[in-house]
Amino acid sequence: MSGLTNKRIVLGVSGSIAAYKAPDIVRRLQDLGADVRVIVTDGGREFVSERSLQTISKNKVHNNLWDKEAELSMGHIEIAKWADVVIIAPASANTIAKLCHGRADDLLSTVILATEAKIMIAPAMNQQMFAASAMKDNLGLLKARGIDIINPGFGDQACGDVGEGRLAEPIDIASQAAELFTSSLLSGKKVLITLGGTREAIDPVRFISNHSSGKMGMALAHACIQAGAKTTLIVGSISIELEKRAEIIQVISAEEMYQAVMKQIDNQDLFISCAAVADFRPKKVSKNKIKKDNQSMTIELIRNRDILASVCQLKKKPICIGFAAETENHIINANNKLIKKQCDAIILNDISQTEIGLNADENEVHLITKNRTEKIEKNTKQIVAEKIIDKLVNNFFNPS
Ligand code: PMT
């Protein structure tokens, strides 16, 4: 099963006895890495407590379209825009009918109309209601509009009937959501990514490093894994969790990163050099902690090997993608790096702005190849990473 790492899911809980399973659905989605916000309808509140949903989702639960406080913090349009997927589970007969008619008389139906996100619904109701021809027509209409139906199960029902209409199992709802994000874009391909900063020792306690958090590289790792690639990460110093589905090799210095990359590079199809590698290291690393006896001190630095440029020189080399972290003359500097390092593409990011690039949650980049420059607009690093991978596949693996 592939993951929902960094995916934003709005779970709509409507009025069905199966709403008591909603906290379990939240859990299952979170287990796959999703951030979940819950909207519960008035009907849903009859069957599940907002407090349980809030505690488990770790987010405020939304209910009221007219809640002034909620509108100030996260109003219906914001929730609609925030979501990557909206899942209604359980979806009651009434909620399904409202979706068909485009009603907007409560928060959930309004968000459904306002969102561009993928919508999935998991119907849950009495077997006779599910078998009704109005319900069949309604589900057919929603399907035709591109809404995914997560089919209910067959079995004993809370009302004593036996038949089709039981809410699908929470784990199946979560895995169907995860399937939305898998693709075969990089299936059968091997990808090697460097990420994070390197640390260049001065003495046993001090080092020279930078502010790279590893977020951009990890987002690329998620995107590659979701696209079906066997992904290996050479990880320097980072401030985020490791991706469990990748092979991980942890390093400290630029030289260690160089060695690790060279050991792994054979048979890779794609190499993405996202790490912020120190260009220099202290010539001499003191064995003992340096004393602060003097008013000043000088550290002589020597050049580190350029990992990306070295990979680009290999006879049998993968497609090589570098990053350029620039504060000025962005496009010119990035183009110079493309030529100097002889890589296939450079991803330029502006690190002079605090809200994008280095150590930020968002990024805005240009993908620069010999022939063209394409801008990827500001978005979460995950979305930017997915767009980068799409473009790399189009440029280098499936050129039209
Ligand atoms: O980790 P985050 O906080 O999410 O931030 C992401 C990032 C800003 C660090 C990332 O998007 C980025 O731009 N990484 C490259 C930073 C950098 O070192 O840029 P550069 O212009 O100095 O280097 C150009 C390229 O050469 C990079 O691909 C770099 O990995 C590579 N390089 C540099 C020096 C060296 N000795 N060996 C290398 O391979």
Side-chain angles (χ1 to χ4, degrees), residues 109 192 204 286 296 324 352:
S109 52
L192 182 66
S286 173
S296 67
S352 66

Side-chain angles (χ1 to χ4, degrees), residues 194-198 210-220 237-240 254-255 257-258 261 271-280 303-311 321-326 333-334 337 341 343 345-351 356-363 365 381:
T194 64
L195 62 142
T198 61
N210 57 65
H211 295 290
S212 172
S213 61
K215 289 176 192 168
M216 190 65 234
M218 206 59 87
L220 286 161
S237 106
I238 57 169
S239 57
I240 50 163
E255 183 55 26
M257 187 172 273
Y258 174 90
V261 167
F271 173 55
I272 306 181
S273 183
C274 186
V277 187
D279 292 309
F280 294 92
R303 268 314 267 265
N304 278 325
R305 291 195 260 196
D306 191 312
I307 305 167
L308 174 60
S310 307
V311 172
I321 313 298
F323 265 78
E326 303 296 338
N333 288 342
K337 275 178 191 160
K341 302 201 184 213
C343 40
I346 282 279
I347 295 157
L348 160 68
N349 43 198
D350 179 355
I351 54 158
I356 55 169
L358 199 58
N359 202 11
D361 290 331
E362 296 192 321
N363 212 352
V365 303
K381 282 187 172 167

Side-chain angles (χ1 to χ4, degrees), residues 21 123-132 136 151-169:
K21 292 184 181 170
M125 65 199 72
N126 166 269
Q127 51 88 22
Q128 197 61 51
M129 291 168 75
F130 187 68
K136 296 272 173 267
N151 289 324
F154 185 95
D156 292 337
Q157 298 202 293
C159 55
D161 282 6
V162 178
E164 197 180 6
R166 283 164 59 108
L167 180 68
E169 290 304 319

Side-chain angles (χ1 to χ4, degrees), residues 251-318:
V251 297
I252 296 174
S253 65
E255 183 55 26
E256 279 181 34
M257 187 172 273
Y258 174 90
Q259 298 292 349
V261 167
M262 289 307 171
K263 209 167 161 191
Q264 296 294 324
I265 202 70
D266 264 5
N267 300 320
Q268 298 291 343
D269 298 288
L270 177 63
F271 173 55
I272 306 181
S273 183
C274 186
V277 187
D279 292 309
F280 294 92
R281 66 178 184 276
K283 183 173 182 186
K284 186 171 160 283
V285 182
S286 173
K287 256 197 200 146
N288 298 313
K289 186 179 170 195
I290 298 169
K291 297 288 172 209
K292 43 185 173 287
D293 299 333
N294 300 330
Q295 283 307 312
S296 67
M297 69 178 285
T298 304
I299 300 172
E300 189 182 347
L301 300 177
I302 54 169
R303 268 314 267 265
N304 278 325
R305 291 195 260 196
D306 191 312
I307 305 167
L308 174 60
S310 307
V311 172
C312 293
Q313 292 306 312
L314 295 174
K315 268 202 188 110
K316 196 173 153 281
K317 71 175 190 72

